[in-house]
Amino acid sequence: MSLPSIYQHKFAEKLTILNDRGKGVLIRMYNIKKTCSDPRSKPAFFTEKTMEPSIKYINKKFPNVDARSSTQHLGPVHKEKAEIIKVLNSYYQSFVDVMEFRDHVYELLNTIDASQCYFDIHVNYDLTKNYLDLVVTYTSVILLLSRIEDRKALIGMYNCAHEMIQGSGDPSYARLAQMVLEYDTPLKKLTEEFGPHSKAVTSALLSLHFLFVRRNQSAEQWRSDQLLSLISNSATMLSPASSDVVSLAFRAGFLLCHGCLSSNPQCLELWKLGLQGSLYISLIRDDALQIHKVTEEFFGSLKGYGKRVADVKECKEHAVAHSGQLHRNRRAFLRNAVRELEALLSDQPGLLGPKALCVFVALSLCRDEVNWLLRHAEHVTKTKTPEDYADSHIAELLFLMEQLRTLVHRHGPVIQRYHVQYLARFDALLCAHLFQNLTVCPEEESIIMSSFVSTLSSLTLKQVDKKEKFDFSGLRLDWFRLQAYTSVAKAPMQLRESPDVGRVMNLIMFHSKMLDSLEELVVETSDLSAFCFYVRPFEKLFALTMEEPAMLRFTIAFPLICSHFAHCTHSMCPEEVRGEGTLCVSGGLPNPGPPSRQPLTHSVPLFLSPGKLLPKHCASTISKARNKKAQKQPPKKGEPERDKPGAESQRKDRIVVTNMDKLHQMLSELSLSINHVPSFTVFEHTVTPSEYLSSHLETRLNRSFVLMASYNQATQEIARPSEVLAGLRSYLAFIQSLGQFTCMDSSRIIRNVLLQQTQPLDSSGEQTLTTIYTNWYLEGLLRQASTGAIVLSPAMQAFISVPREGEQSFSAEEFSDISEMRALAELLGPYGMKFLSDNLMWHVTSQVVELKKLVTENMDVLVQIRSNFYKPEQMVSLLPRLTSADNVLKRMTIIGEILSFRSMAQSGLCEVFSNRCPFLMGPIECLKDFVTPDTDIKVTLSIFELATAAGIACDIDPALVTALSNLKTDSSSPEEEYKSACLLLVFVAVSLPLLASDPFSVYSIEMDGYSNNIHCLAKAIIHVSAALFTIHGKNIETHLKEFLLLASVSLLQLGQETDKLHSKNRESISLLMHLIVEESSFLTVDMLETCFPYVLLRNAYREVHRAFLLNKLPAH
């Protein structure tokens, strides 16, 4: 059957579609405005200098741009016309969408006016709300369009490129260009457009009077009315909450229909009330309208509006003086009220059924206040009361909002069970009663009303128990249609004549949303996605919260807000979803995210406390004790007296709160915040706070450990390994205690960080302790040892510094004694020690390469010496022919220094291993002991490699064998390499007598070594020869015996030396033979006795000891 004309208008469907379409168009305009205002995102040709004349020409001639005859001005456009069409197509079509949207809005508003629709928010809520939403959206689109500075250039350039390619301009260009010109002064054009609709808009706005006034009351009025309080009247606690509607955000609608301000006092009152509440209103997101300035400028351009301009100025002064304090007091009230509400609902979640509306009212009030603060904190830069626009307690309000949202999500079934019964047992009966008492009810309306009753009556609890999906969208659309049918002037049934029907049905629609649209309602009333666009206020509020100890437990609210950001997108702007999602997850979260820096920053005193117990800090205490014992007066002026370690824990009264107590409290509060949620989702990315904290802690710990070393590459200054280890243990103890506060895996963090510190670079590509200490020991200690500034003392098992006049040197023994090597091994671990060993071996191999070159230079002479060493006459003529003998000894000494340091480091590693895992060291040592000279060399090296990794000393150094085996070149044969190795030992052996002439070659009993480190030759000779002959598969013992024979002959010949200078330190040099035998497991004293009489060694020791005693006698 044919429907009457009132049914053919389809107001409900058109308003629904146009509102959604308008939101999409508005977001498109916002996206274009933001894109074109940023040089980094603006189309590339808009920033090219060659295109500037064309853009200026298009803006000047717009809309009459002649693309054919203006080749001189539009040449660059012609060159890039294809690219321009490709890039600007989406921009141009967005402007066309605005034009089409305007056409549809025109048509619908004119039809509504012609139908003389009646608007009352209390009766036909959906019709009034959607009508006002459409007016607001349309106004926002036009105002935003006028704010796009490049709109003419975008449209004109696209049309020029289109005409150059297609031969004619775009069909929509003429109307689109005219529309853009009309809205150069948007308010003037909008007021002309809304002149015919003034009556409808005014009536809709006036129906908001009661709601808007109640919504904008002061905190004192809210408090006196006991707003949001469930316990103010316990008798009504289980009574269902009722309200006409969740109030709408009031817009400056009277600006478009300003004629009613003079004719209707109620309109004037409502308009003034709106102007007094805010300085800025939001068009969309962070694009705000300075309402007083815009209104004043617009009214100032109209004749006879001087009084209205005065009203605007008065309202602005009132807003500047009072709005900030008003909203600050509201936020304070809401914090207390919502805290009470959340506590009661958490304890008694069953109240969520009857009091669900109260929850949504609370959420919407909090949302409005937070958005007001964001908007004004961004735009109000100069004010006498900055505290009104910065709230250090905002985190608690945000946290309470999240708690209410969580309660609604968690107890959704509770809400559903209550409202299913309420709809079926009360609302359905009430509807049937009201519909039966209607005097007029046409057939179409009767069918819709009957469907309401039948749908509601069929609801049962079993549907909730079975978790069936409810869908009342059709029911709500039918009610929207019914409002449209019964709100036109000529409708047979007038809804205004039965206001109870409208109020009851509006409440039923809200109840239906409790079943199928709970999430949408939560988003509608508590969406804080505006934070995504107010980045500076977001970070500022977060920083203020971190400075407020009482608010630390609520800081998780800031990252949780990021989960709201997905709600601000629209399907008409898909590229924005990708852009905002990436921005939020990769760039936005680290700033307002979980406070990963704060635990470390706040707990620095906890790390420093164990450092006070280091031995170096006891000097001042010892000095004071000695002065007190000697009864010396302390100097009047000096360093302030330091507290003894542990003084921070002493107190006379537990009520006294120390700084350490405050730090622990802050840690506890932050940990509560991080533990609040296991994870949350941001743009399809799952964020886990504990993992987020763990990753940042790993990075911070790596940097902190490196900073503790205090390494200065220029001055080669560094902290002792034992001090760094003490600080590291303090950090790790803190991380373990932090793991007890939070849900993070502290053991995993410690493992990851310590493992990274054993590698050359950490996960961020930064240097680690391993790299720093390896470089320092090579450059700072061993390099100075090669120059004689540092000497190895076997007696002290450390390198010691040799004081020199005019030079400041560090104490090498403080960095190389047993305790420091043990600490170094703990810091670097097995992997780090292997890295150190590999670097040491590289330096050894570089010295061996140079030694082989020297051997090659003296090859012929060395071959003759090896064959005739027992012929003194020939040796006398051959030895002077050797060149660079001093260089050979120097390089062998350097090798010995390196290997000695490595041996000390290995012993530290062995001690650490023995303490940490003795059950593992036992089998390794046992396996090493089973190795015999008859064991296959590959098996031997494998076992020795295992033992070396644990720090156990071996007869053959597998690392040295590997390093030297890599020196083989393709040009030399194995026989030549073997010959070179044999001659190297010959070269060293016959060069030993040269050391006797060195004044520093004096054996020191105190040091158990020589001042020029030649005692390191023993280790170099033994280990290098063992490695070389292992590589060539020769007998090590045989070649070492040959070396002993050659060296003995050379040293014995010193006794026949007539020049006393050449044999000055003959006794000290003779002791080298004993040191070589002691160093090697392949040689024995009996072997030495066959070629170098032990009596000579005994006499040498006696002479050295006698010289030492003589030097200690006082001079007379």
Side-chain angles (χ1 to χ4, degrees), residues 452-688:
F452 290 164
V453 176
S454 61
T455 301
L456 299 178
S457 301
S458 63
L459 295 174
T460 62
L461 275 176
K462 291 183 179 180
Q463 292 174 282
V464 178
D465 296 335
K466 294 179 180 179
K467 298 183 179 180
E468 292 184 10
K469 295 293 182 182
F470 295 97
D471 186 5
F472 294 102
S473 57
L475 177 73
R476 289 191 287 272
L477 182 58
D478 282 344
W479 170 233
F480 193 178
R481 288 172 176 149
L482 187 60
Q483 294 176 60
Y485 298 160
T486 58
S487 297
V488 297
K490 296 182 180 180
M493 175 185 171
Q494 291 290 328
L495 190 59
R496 74 175 77 181
E497 296 175 358
S498 305
D500 291 341
V501 173
R503 292 189 177 93
V504 169
M505 286 304 300
N506 289 335
L507 191 58
I508 290 174
M509 294 306 107
F510 172 76
H511 292 164
S512 69
K513 289 183 179 181
M514 296 294 100
L515 298 181
D516 67 338
S517 302
L518 199 57
E519 177 60 29
E520 289 81 355
L521 201 55
V522 169
V523 172
E524 182 183 347
T525 55
S526 63
D527 177 40
L528 295 176
S529 58
F531 272 101
C532 185
F533 307 96
Y534 289 103
V535 178
R536 283 179 298 180
F538 197 3
E539 294 181 350
K540 183 179 178 181
L541 291 172
F542 179 72
L544 286 174
T545 300
M546 296 309 300
E547 295 173 2
E548 188 69 33
M551 293 293 107
L552 290 177
R553 64 170 57 196
F554 306 120
T555 49
I556 192 64
F558 286 94
L560 289 179
I561 287 174
C562 297
S563 62
H564 298 205
F565 294 171
H567 303 144
C568 66
T569 58
H570 196 276
S571 58
M572 286 186 66
C573 194
E575 65 271 20
E576 193 179 57
V577 177
R578 296 188 294 271
E580 295 299 337
T582 305
L583 169 68
C584 184
V585 175
S586 64
L589 276 176
N591 290 327
S596 60
R597 297 183 302 173
Q598 298 302 325
L600 285 176
T601 305
H602 287 160
S603 303
V604 169
L606 296 178
F607 306 147
L608 298 179
S609 296
K612 296 178 182 178
L613 297 175
L614 291 174
K616 67 178 183 179
H617 294 302
C618 69
S620 60
T621 305
I622 295 174
S623 176
K624 289 179 183 179
R626 292 182 63 182
N627 290 337
K628 186 177 181 181
K629 187 175 181 180
Q631 296 182 353
K632 291 183 179 180
Q633 293 294 330
K636 294 182 179 180
K637 293 183 179 180
E639 294 185 2
E641 187 174 352
R642 296 180 180 177
D643 293 333
K644 292 183 178 180
E648 68 278 356
S649 301
Q650 295 178 355
R651 72 192 81 204
K652 296 180 180 179
D653 191 345
R654 192 62 188 87
I655 299 176
V656 177
V657 179
T658 64
N659 187 48
M660 197 64 68
D661 293 333
K662 295 177 182 178
L663 291 174
H664 279 289
Q665 180 68 18
M666 295 173 77
L667 278 179
S668 302
E669 298 289 323
L670 286 168
S671 301
L672 281 175
S673 177
I674 293 170
N675 290 338
H676 182 66
V677 290
S679 64
F680 58 93
T681 304
V682 181
F683 282 102
E684 300 180 356
H685 296 266
T686 299
V687 180
T688 306

Side-chain angles (χ1 to χ4, degrees), residues 694-715:
S694 299
S695 63
H696 279 261
L697 278 178
E698 284 186 18
T699 304
R700 292 273 296 180
L701 283 173
N702 278 320
R703 293 175 182 172
S704 299
F705 291 164
V706 172
L707 289 175
M708 278 195 297
S710 304
Y711 180 54
N712 188 329
Q713 192 171 4
T715 60

Side-chain angles (χ1 to χ4, degrees), residues 746-766:
S746 58
S747 59
R748 190 193 67 186
I749 295 176
I750 293 173
R751 286 196 305 270
N752 290 347
V753 172
L754 293 183
L755 184 60
Q756 289 182 48
Q757 290 303 312
T758 66
Q759 305 301 314
L761 300 174
D762 62 17
S763 57
S764 303
E766 301 292 334

